[in-house]
Amino acid sequence: MSERTLLRRTRTLIGSDAAFLTPDGIDVDSTQNYEVVRRRVFFDDVHLVTLHHERGIAYLVLTGLFGAFFLGIAILIVAINTDAWPGALPFFVVGFLISLAFLIRAFMGRDVITVFGRRSKAVLRFGSFRSQRARDVYGQICAAVRRGQSAVRTWESPAPALPPDVPMPPVEGASES
Amino acid sequence: MSAIYAGPLCPSCNAPLDAATLHAGVMNCPNCRKQFEATPFQPRERHHQAVQVVTETPDGIAAACANHERNAAVTSCTRCGLFICALCDMNVGEGSYCPSCFDRMRDQSTVDSGATRYRDYATMSISAAAISLLCPFLPIGPFAVFWGLKGVRQRRAEGSGIAGPVIAMILGSLETLALLVGVTLFIIGLVAQGKS
């Protein structure tokens, strides 16, 4: 297997995605239930690379609902019996952490790089605090694509060198004067 | 990857983007008006040049492609020996294959560079080790060791860390050993009880 550099690993509830930079393109390994599905986007096939900021509606709805649910239970326990606050503490901690994740995503969002190839695309998602890393990777990918596509052009169609003694066409302004 | 993927889309709303309107820098999607930074490229069009003149020899028409009878064969399939033209040549750095052999080999994961689906043995090994710790009476330790060995080989080939499968192998070995000792002691106990 050729040399690969890890660009980004994203973990979700159902699996994880790892994006690697290879000499020929970008490999995205998606792990689902002990099975890895590999997708490739080759540099000489890339049409467009984009970087955008998103919040992720599904994530916000999910964390918002769960956070509110756990905090609600904690408040309910304390409202019924103030002395039972130790019982409400675990619910409060879980609810607080989930709500914190909701607030961080809602205010800061996250950066997403998408590489559109001819037949496939690769999506790299970065955490809320990894904006600079996203920009670095975006630049790294664009430079690699540029290098890859120019290498193919140079290899396939070398520009013929002009012989040094070819006379240049006469310039109109110069002949009148 | 979507099955209906057909080129550049808006990264926010997935509406198709017109290649003529793409430019480097900050762009707004004409559909959702959301902003994104773009760097367009112009990939080279691929042209496969099939030799379309099949030469005639005294024995008849020689070396025509098995799939395209008007194209001359440029090579033969390494697996089945079928004559194939430049259009049919599926060369992935491990020899030339005809499209049907390539599909078959990719399905069976016997062609490494064409494989798109494989098992994550390292994670399987870690899970087996974890289960063997939680349920020590289940004989899962040997599986953790077996998958761990495969996982180490796989991770080394990828250039990733091997700490996970190695720890899983150690735990699996200990669990196997403990299980063997337990079973042996149990049998000895039964025998001793029988004698008495």
Side-chain angles (χ1 to χ4, degrees):
Chain A
M1 192 173 288
S2 58
E3 193 186 320
R4 309 200 304 171
T5 313
L6 181 69
L7 290 177
R8 180 72 192 145
R9 193 181 291 279
T10 317
R11 289 184 201 284
T12 60
L13 283 174
I14 52 164
S16 71
D17 277 2
F20 298 90
L21 190 73
T22 70
D24 302 324
I26 293 169
D27 282 3
V28 180
D29 289 357
S30 306
T31 309
Q32 292 162 354
N33 301 326
Y34 307 118
E35 193 173 62
V36 182
V37 178
R38 176 166 297 165
R39 288 166 289 156
R40 289 195 179 105
V41 183
F42 290 104
F43 290 143
D44 52 349
D45 273 351
V46 171
H47 274 288
L48 180 71
V49 184
T50 63
L51 170 68
H52 77 285
H53 202 67
E54 70 167 25
R55 288 198 162 75
I57 297 297
Y59 181 88
L60 287 180
V61 168
L62 211 67
T63 50
L65 285 176
F66 272 99
F69 174 74
F70 283 108
L71 285 180
I73 289 180
I75 291 167
L76 193 70
I77 290 170
V78 176
I80 290 169
N81 185 359
T82 320
D83 294 335
W85 66 267
L89 201 61
F91 291 103
F92 176 77
V93 170
V94 172
F96 174 75
L97 290 175
I98 297 174
S99 301
L100 193 67
F102 169 82
L103 289 173
I104 288 171
R105 178 64 71 81
F107 284 105
M108 297 182 71
R110 66 173 174 182
D111 287 306
V112 182
I113 295 174
T114 317
V115 184
F116 295 95
R118 214 188 293 267
R119 284 175 288 284
S120 54
K121 70 172 182 178
V123 182
L124 284 75
R125 293 186 169 86
F126 293 81
S128 301
F129 299 103
R130 307 295 303 266
S131 289
Q132 190 52 47
R133 170 78 180 142
R135 192 150 283 284
D136 289 348
V137 169
Y138 178 68
Q140 208 177 339
I141 291 172
C142 287
V145 172
R146 214 166 279 133
R147 215 165 32 237
Q149 293 193 358
S150 65
V152 168
R153 284 201 182 91
T154 317
W155 178 63
E156 291 220 327
S157 56
L162 280 173
D165 57 342
V166 171
M168 298 300 286
V171 183
E172 281 182 32
S175 63
E176 281 170 8
S177 62
Chain B
M1 193 193 310
S2 167
I4 52 162
Y5 173 74
L9 309 165
C10 166
S12 298
C13 68
N14 285 334
L17 292 172
D18 185 9
T21 61
L22 293 177
H23 60 82
V26 177
M27 277 186 67
N28 284 309
C29 169
N31 187 46
C32 67
R33 304 276 166 207
K34 282 191 180 165
Q35 211 175 55
F36 60 91
E37 205 171 317
T39 309
F41 295 92
Q42 293 191 328
R44 164 188 68 96
E45 287 298 319
R46 287 184 177 181
H47 297 292
H48 293 282
Q49 292 218 330
V51 182
Q52 290 197 321
V53 184
V54 179
T55 50
E56 266 192 55
T57 63
D59 304 330
I61 295 173
C65 172
N67 300 320
H68 305 95
E69 60 181 19
R70 290 166 65 88
N71 291 355
V74 290
T75 184
S76 60
C77 174
T78 313
R79 186 166 175 268
C80 68
L82 203 74
F83 283 122
I84 45 177
C85 66
L87 295 179
C88 301
D89 183 8
M90 307 293 286
N91 192 331
V92 287
E94 297 175 17
S96 292
Y97 297 102
C98 69
S100 51
C101 281
F102 181 80
D103 279 350
R104 221 163 276 149
M105 291 174 73
R106 200 175 58 177
D107 287 346
Q108 293 162 1
S109 297
T110 47
V111 51
D112 281 349
S113 44
T116 54
R117 202 172 274 265
Y118 59 93
R119 288 198 168 189
D120 185 6
Y121 287 110
T123 311
M124 286 168 76
S125 153
I126 293 165
S127 301
I131 293 170
S132 74
L133 275 181
L134 293 172
C135 315
F137 50 86
L138 288 177
I140 299 174
F143 290 98
V145 176
F146 176 67
W147 287 330
L149 283 171
K150 286 187 141 191
V152 166
R153 220 174 297 147
Q154 201 172 45
R155 291 253 171 119
R156 273 203 182 130
E158 284 179 358
S160 315
I162 56 165
V166 166
I167 292 171
M169 276 197 299
I170 294 169
L171 290 175
S173 307
L174 290 175
E175 198 260 350
T176 310
L177 200 68
L179 199 71
L180 284 173
V181 169
V183 169
T184 312
L185 288 176
F186 181 70
I187 291 169
I188 290 170
L190 279 181
V191 171
Q193 205 175 22
K195 278 183 181 171
S196 63

PDB file of all heavy atoms in Angstrom, chain A residues 67-90:
ATOM      1  N   GLY A  67     -30.270  17.310  25.670  1.00  0.00           N
ATOM      2  CA  GLY A  67     -29.811  18.214  26.729  1.00  0.00           C
ATOM      3  C   GLY A  67     -30.982  18.731  27.537  1.00  0.00           C
ATOM      4  O   GLY A  67     -30.968  18.707  28.780  1.00  0.00           O
ATOM      5  N   ALA A  68     -32.024  19.167  26.816  1.00  0.00           N
ATOM      6  CA  ALA A  68     -33.218  19.696  27.501  1.00  0.00           C
ATOM      7  C   ALA A  68     -33.887  18.600  28.326  1.00  0.00           C
ATOM      8  O   ALA A  68     -34.366  18.849  29.444  1.00  0.00           O
ATOM      9  CB  ALA A  68     -34.181  20.256  26.458  1.00  0.00           C
ATOM     10  N   PHE A  69     -33.903  17.369  27.786  1.00  0.00           N
ATOM     11  CA  PHE A  69     -34.547  16.245  28.482  1.00  0.00           C
ATOM     12  C   PHE A  69     -33.846  15.964  29.818  1.00  0.00           C
ATOM     13  O   PHE A  69     -34.492  15.894  30.871  1.00  0.00           O
ATOM     14  CB  PHE A  69     -34.496  15.007  27.578  1.00  0.00           C
ATOM     15  CG  PHE A  69     -34.999  13.753  28.218  1.00  0.00           C
ATOM     16  CD1 PHE A  69     -36.364  13.554  28.426  1.00  0.00           C
ATOM     17  CD2 PHE A  69     -34.111  12.760  28.624  1.00  0.00           C
ATOM     18  CE1 PHE A  69     -36.820  12.386  29.011  1.00  0.00           C
ATOM     19  CE2 PHE A  69     -34.564  11.596  29.214  1.00  0.00           C
ATOM     20  CZ  PHE A  69     -35.925  11.412  29.411  1.00  0.00           C
ATOM     21  N   PHE A  70     -32.519  15.835  29.785  1.00  0.00           N
ATOM     22  CA  PHE A  70     -31.783  15.504  31.020  1.00  0.00           C
ATOM     23  C   PHE A  70     -31.814  16.671  32.014  1.00  0.00           C
ATOM     24  O   PHE A  70     -31.990  16.458  33.219  1.00  0.00           O
ATOM     25  CB  PHE A  70     -30.331  15.112  30.693  1.00  0.00           C
ATOM     26  CG  PHE A  70     -30.219  13.719  30.157  1.00  0.00           C
ATOM     27  CD1 PHE A  70     -29.935  13.485  28.830  1.00  0.00           C
ATOM     28  CD2 PHE A  70     -30.436  12.625  30.985  1.00  0.00           C
ATOM     29  CE1 PHE A  70     -29.854  12.203  28.330  1.00  0.00           C
ATOM     30  CE2 PHE A  70     -30.350  11.332  30.493  1.00  0.00           C
ATOM     31  CZ  PHE A  70     -30.064  11.121  29.155  1.00  0.00           C
ATOM     32  N   LEU A  71     -31.663  17.882  31.515  1.00  0.00           N
ATOM     33  CA  LEU A  71     -31.736  19.038  32.425  1.00  0.00           C
ATOM     34  C   LEU A  71     -33.139  19.149  33.010  1.00  0.00           C
ATOM     35  O   LEU A  71     -33.317  19.482  34.195  1.00  0.00           O
ATOM     36  CB  LEU A  71     -31.366  20.326  31.678  1.00  0.00           C
ATOM     37  CG  LEU A  71     -29.879  20.532  31.384  1.00  0.00           C
ATOM     38  CD1 LEU A  71     -29.660  21.840  30.646  1.00  0.00           C
ATOM     39  CD2 LEU A  71     -29.056  20.535  32.669  1.00  0.00           C
ATOM     40  N   GLY A  72     -34.159  18.851  32.189  1.00  0.00           N
ATOM     41  CA  GLY A  72     -35.557  18.887  32.653  1.00  0.00           C
ATOM     42  C   GLY A  72     -35.780  17.895  33.783  1.00  0.00           C
ATOM     43  O   GLY A  72     -36.438  18.224  34.792  1.00  0.00           O
ATOM     44  N   ILE A  73     -35.244  16.683  33.640  1.00  0.00           N
ATOM     45  CA  ILE A  73     -35.398  15.664  34.701  1.00  0.00           C
ATOM     46  C   ILE A  73     -34.720  16.148  35.985  1.00  0.00           C
ATOM     47  O   ILE A  73     -35.287  16.024  37.089  1.00  0.00           O
ATOM     48  CB  ILE A  73     -34.802  14.317  34.241  1.00  0.00           C
ATOM     49  CG1 ILE A  73     -35.696  13.702  33.172  1.00  0.00           C
ATOM     50  CG2 ILE A  73     -34.661  13.346  35.406  1.00  0.00           C
ATOM     51  CD1 ILE A  73     -35.207  12.381  32.635  1.00  0.00           C
ATOM     52  N   ALA A  74     -33.524  16.726  35.840  1.00  0.00           N
ATOM     53  CA  ALA A  74     -32.799  17.220  37.023  1.00  0.00           C
ATOM     54  C   ALA A  74     -33.611  18.307  37.729  1.00  0.00           C
ATOM     55  O   ALA A  74     -33.758  18.293  38.966  1.00  0.00           O
ATOM     56  CB  ALA A  74     -31.434  17.755  36.599  1.00  0.00           C
ATOM     57  N   ILE A  75     -34.158  19.222  36.932  1.00  0.00           N
ATOM     58  CA  ILE A  75     -34.953  20.322  37.516  1.00  0.00           C
ATOM     59  C   ILE A  75     -36.212  19.760  38.187  1.00  0.00           C
ATOM     60  O   ILE A  75     -36.609  20.190  39.278  1.00  0.00           O
ATOM     61  CB  ILE A  75     -35.301  21.368  36.422  1.00  0.00           C
ATOM     62  CG1 ILE A  75     -34.011  22.090  35.994  1.00  0.00           C
ATOM     63  CG2 ILE A  75     -36.335  22.363  36.904  1.00  0.00           C
ATOM     64  CD1 ILE A  75     -34.148  22.904  34.734  1.00  0.00           C
ATOM     65  N   LEU A  76     -36.825  18.765  37.517  1.00  0.00           N
ATOM     66  CA  LEU A  76     -38.051  18.162  38.057  1.00  0.00           C
ATOM     67  C   LEU A  76     -37.793  17.508  39.427  1.00  0.00           C
ATOM     68  O   LEU A  76     -38.572  17.686  40.370  1.00  0.00           O
ATOM     69  CB  LEU A  76     -38.567  17.119  37.063  1.00  0.00           C
ATOM     70  CG  LEU A  76     -39.987  16.600  37.303  1.00  0.00           C
ATOM     71  CD1 LEU A  76     -41.010  17.689  37.003  1.00  0.00           C
ATOM     72  CD2 LEU A  76     -40.256  15.393  36.412  1.00  0.00           C
ATOM     73  N   ILE A  77     -36.682  16.783  39.521  1.00  0.00           N
ATOM     74  CA  ILE A  77     -36.352  16.094  40.786  1.00  0.00           C
ATOM     75  C   ILE A  77     -36.164  17.122  41.904  1.00  0.00           C
ATOM     76  O   ILE A  77     -36.700  16.972  43.009  1.00  0.00           O
ATOM     77  CB  ILE A  77     -35.075  15.226  40.616  1.00  0.00           C
ATOM     78  CG1 ILE A  77     -35.380  14.032  39.712  1.00  0.00           C
ATOM     79  CG2 ILE A  77     -34.559  14.725  41.966  1.00  0.00           C
ATOM     80  CD1 ILE A  77     -34.160  13.236  39.283  1.00  0.00           C
ATOM     81  N   VAL A  78     -35.427  18.184  41.581  1.00  0.00           N
ATOM     82  CA  VAL A  78     -35.172  19.210  42.607  1.00  0.00           C
ATOM     83  C   VAL A  78     -36.461  19.953  42.949  1.00  0.00           C
ATOM     84  O   VAL A  78     -36.690  20.318  44.113  1.00  0.00           O
ATOM     85  CB  VAL A  78     -34.074  20.196  42.111  1.00  0.00           C
ATOM     86  CG1 VAL A  78     -33.853  21.318  43.109  1.00  0.00           C
ATOM     87  CG2 VAL A  78     -32.776  19.445  41.906  1.00  0.00           C
ATOM     88  N   ALA A  79     -37.327  20.152  41.936  1.00  0.00           N
ATOM     89  CA  ALA A  79     -38.586  20.861  42.185  1.00  0.00           C
ATOM     90  C   ALA A  79     -39.500  20.045  43.089  1.00  0.00           C
ATOM     91  O   ALA A  79     -40.219  20.594  43.936  1.00  0.00           O
ATOM     92  CB  ALA A  79     -39.273  21.156  40.858  1.00  0.00           C
ATOM     93  N   ILE A  80     -39.495  18.730  42.930  1.00  0.00           N
ATOM     94  CA  ILE A  80     -40.355  17.871  43.757  1.00  0.00           C
ATOM     95  C   ILE A  80     -39.816  17.814  45.193  1.00  0.00           C
ATOM     96  O   ILE A  80     -40.569  17.954  46.152  1.00  0.00           O
ATOM     97  CB  ILE A  80     -40.460  16.455  43.138  1.00  0.00           C
ATOM     98  CG1 ILE A  80     -41.275  16.532  41.844  1.00  0.00           C
ATOM     99  CG2 ILE A  80     -41.112  15.463  44.107  1.00  0.00           C
ATOM    100  CD1 ILE A  80     -41.219  15.269  41.005  1.00  0.00           C
ATOM    101  N   ASN A  81     -38.513  17.596  45.305  1.00  0.00           N
ATOM    102  CA  ASN A  81     -37.935  17.490  46.640  1.00  0.00           C
ATOM    103  C   ASN A  81     -36.522  18.067  46.609  1.00  0.00           C
ATOM    104  O   ASN A  81     -35.623  17.483  46.008  1.00  0.00           O
ATOM    105  CB  ASN A  81     -37.909  16.010  47.083  1.00  0.00           C
ATOM    106  CG  ASN A  81     -37.423  15.840  48.501  1.00  0.00           C
ATOM    107  OD1 ASN A  81     -37.085  16.812  49.171  1.00  0.00           O
ATOM    108  ND2 ASN A  81     -37.386  14.590  48.947  1.00  0.00           N
ATOM    109  N   THR A  82     -36.351  19.190  47.253  1.00  0.00           N
ATOM    110  CA  THR A  82     -35.043  19.874  47.211  1.00  0.00           C
ATOM    111  C   THR A  82     -33.946  19.022  47.851  1.00  0.00           C
ATOM    112  O   THR A  82     -32.791  19.065  47.423  1.00  0.00           O
ATOM    113  CB  THR A  82     -35.120  21.217  47.968  1.00  0.00           C
ATOM    114  OG1 THR A  82     -36.374  21.826  47.676  1.00  0.00           O
ATOM    115  CG2 THR A  82     -33.996  22.150  47.567  1.00  0.00           C
ATOM    116  N   ASP A  83     -34.307  18.235  48.847  1.00  0.00           N
ATOM    117  CA  ASP A  83     -33.301  17.401  49.528  1.00  0.00           C
ATOM    118  C   ASP A  83     -32.795  16.264  48.637  1.00  0.00           C
ATOM    119  O   ASP A  83     -31.781  15.638  48.970  1.00  0.00           O
ATOM    120  CB  ASP A  83     -33.895  16.799  50.815  1.00  0.00           C
ATOM    121  CG  ASP A  83     -34.202  17.900  51.820  1.00  0.00           C
ATOM    122  OD1 ASP A  83     -33.556  18.962  51.728  1.00  0.00           O
ATOM    123  OD2 ASP A  83     -35.100  17.708  52.671  1.00  0.00           O
ATOM    124  N   ALA A  84     -33.506  15.987  47.546  1.00  0.00           N
ATOM    125  CA  ALA A  84     -33.100  14.873  46.657  1.00  0.00           C
ATOM    126  C   ALA A  84     -32.130  15.331  45.583  1.00  0.00           C
ATOM    127  O   ALA A  84     -31.981  14.676  44.556  1.00  0.00           O
ATOM    128  CB  ALA A  84     -34.341  14.258  46.018  1.00  0.00           C
ATOM    129  N   TRP A  85     -31.434  16.458  45.820  1.00  0.00           N
ATOM    130  CA  TRP A  85     -30.532  16.986  44.788  1.00  0.00           C
ATOM    131  C   TRP A  85     -29.410  16.017  44.406  1.00  0.00           C
ATOM    132  O   TRP A  85     -28.992  16.020  43.244  1.00  0.00           O
ATOM    133  CB  TRP A  85     -29.971  18.353  45.190  1.00  0.00           C
ATOM    134  CG  TRP A  85     -29.050  18.347  46.388  1.00  0.00           C
ATOM    135  CD1 TRP A  85     -29.396  18.559  47.681  1.00  0.00           C
ATOM    136  CD2 TRP A  85     -27.645  18.079  46.381  1.00  0.00           C
ATOM    137  NE1 TRP A  85     -28.312  18.461  48.498  1.00  0.00           N
ATOM    138  CE2 TRP A  85     -27.212  18.169  47.723  1.00  0.00           C
ATOM    139  CE3 TRP A  85     -26.716  17.798  45.390  1.00  0.00           C
ATOM    140  CZ2 TRP A  85     -25.889  17.956  48.084  1.00  0.00           C
ATOM    141  CZ3 TRP A  85     -25.397  17.607  45.753  1.00  0.00           C
ATOM    142  CH2 TRP A  85     -24.985  17.679  47.093  1.00  0.00           C
ATOM    143  N   PRO A  86     -28.900  15.168  45.335  1.00  0.00           N
ATOM    144  CA  PRO A  86     -27.856  14.230  44.853  1.00  0.00           C
ATOM    145  C   PRO A  86     -28.368  13.308  43.749  1.00  0.00           C
ATOM    146  O   PRO A  86     -27.619  12.923  42.858  1.00  0.00           O
ATOM    147  CB  PRO A  86     -27.477  13.439  46.097  1.00  0.00           C
ATOM    148  CG  PRO A  86     -27.882  14.301  47.239  1.00  0.00           C
ATOM    149  CD  PRO A  86     -29.107  14.998  46.790  1.00  0.00           C
ATOM    150  N   GLY A  87     -29.656  12.978  43.789  1.00  0.00           N
ATOM    151  CA  GLY A  87     -30.241  12.129  42.743  1.00  0.00           C
ATOM    152  C   GLY A  87     -30.343  12.852  41.420  1.00  0.00           C
ATOM    153  O   GLY A  87     -30.304  12.233  40.349  1.00  0.00           O
ATOM    154  N   ALA A  88     -30.463  14.179  41.489  1.00  0.00           N
ATOM    155  CA  ALA A  88     -30.592  14.978  40.256  1.00  0.00           C
ATOM    156  C   ALA A  88     -29.233  15.293  39.638  1.00  0.00           C
ATOM    157  O   ALA A  88     -29.153  15.668  38.471  1.00  0.00           O
ATOM    158  CB  ALA A  88     -31.320  16.276  40.570  1.00  0.00           C
ATOM    159  N   LEU A  89     -28.175  15.099  40.451  1.00  0.00           N
ATOM    160  CA  LEU A  89     -26.833  15.503  39.997  1.00  0.00           C
ATOM    161  C   LEU A  89     -26.372  14.778  38.723  1.00  0.00           C
ATOM    162  O   LEU A  89     -25.906  15.444  37.782  1.00  0.00           O
ATOM    163  CB  LEU A  89     -25.823  15.290  41.132  1.00  0.00           C
ATOM    164  CG  LEU A  89     -24.526  16.088  41.014  1.00  0.00           C
ATOM    165  CD1 LEU A  89     -24.785  17.591  41.013  1.00  0.00           C
ATOM    166  CD2 LEU A  89     -23.570  15.719  42.150  1.00  0.00           C
ATOM    167  N   PRO A  90     -26.497  13.426  38.632  1.00  0.00           N
ATOM    168  CA  PRO A  90     -26.067  12.761  37.387  1.00  0.00           C
ATOM    169  C   PRO A  90     -26.809  13.273  36.159  1.00  0.00           C
ATOM    170  O   PRO A  90     -26.208  13.474  35.092  1.00  0.00           O
ATOM    171  CB  PRO A  90     -26.394  11.283  37.632  1.00  0.00           C
ATOM    172  CG  PRO A  90     -26.509  11.147  39.095  1.00  0.00           C
ATOM    173  CD  PRO A  90     -26.966  12.457  39.623  1.00  0.00           C
TER     174      PRO A  90
END
